[in-house]
Amino acid sequence: MKKLMMLLLVFALLGVSVVPAYMQEDMPEIDCITDEEAVVVLSTGSVGIEVELAERAAAEFMAACPNITVEVRPLPESATDILGFFLQQFEAQSSEIDVFQFDVIWPAILAPHLIDLRPYISDERLAEYFPKIVENNTVDGALVGIPYFNDAPMLYYRTDLLEKYGVEVPTTWEELTEAAQIIQDGERAEGNSEFWGFVWQGNAYEGLTCDALEWIYTASGSTIIDADGNVTVNNEANAAALELAASWVGTISP
């Protein structure tokens, strides 16, 4: 029964927490599956409003299924700490948590411990998600996770400074490098000695890995390892992209 409750909550959370109110009329009605009393523990991230969204989803779910209590357990902010915590839970064969919110790069690591969701979701419902995300979350034929939300990299820029220095919005990393240098030089010449042209996730953590994947993909369209297990990252285009990024440190970036 607990397995069924977990699966139900996963799909319910997707419906009530990340879908705008004006779209929720089209969401499938929640099926509580059982009239028995049950408790389901949901782990959730704690960055931004993640806890708020999870608690809102839990409240709406419990309103529809008052016999089921959903306990929201906030996780650490650090993705590294979260993964370590999950692995400790699995190693100890703990039953403390039923529903895990995990990162997009962890399916293969966590797959041995997770339920295959494929028998519980229709083809029609699965088609609502980006195919690449579904593919990413499928390990050895088992669908071990479905999207709670999707992240997308964004480039933010100050239109006032682009206009001030007559610089176009950059569309390549090389153009970004040149634009950032022009603007940084100009601002520092006006007395802003602490101005930097470009800031990004440069610390030694997961965020830097995400950045590097973007540089590699935009440079050559390659991955690090392909579907057949071949190492594809070692090529001249990728090396040049990484060298360019490294050159930013101390020049246009702190």
Side-chain angles (χ1 to χ4, degrees), residues 161-162 165 167 178-188 195:
L161 292 179
L162 293 180
Y165 293 98
V167 176
E178 182 180 359
Q181 190 69 66
I182 291 172
I183 294 173
Q184 177 178 297
D185 291 345
E187 290 299 293
R188 290 191 175 187
F195 185 93

Side-chain angles (χ1 to χ4, degrees), residues 216 220-227 229-235 238:
I216 289 170
S220 65
S222 69
T223 56
I224 295 178
I225 301 175
D226 66 17
N230 300 310
V231 176
T232 57
V233 69
N234 188 16
N235 59 65
N238 290 343

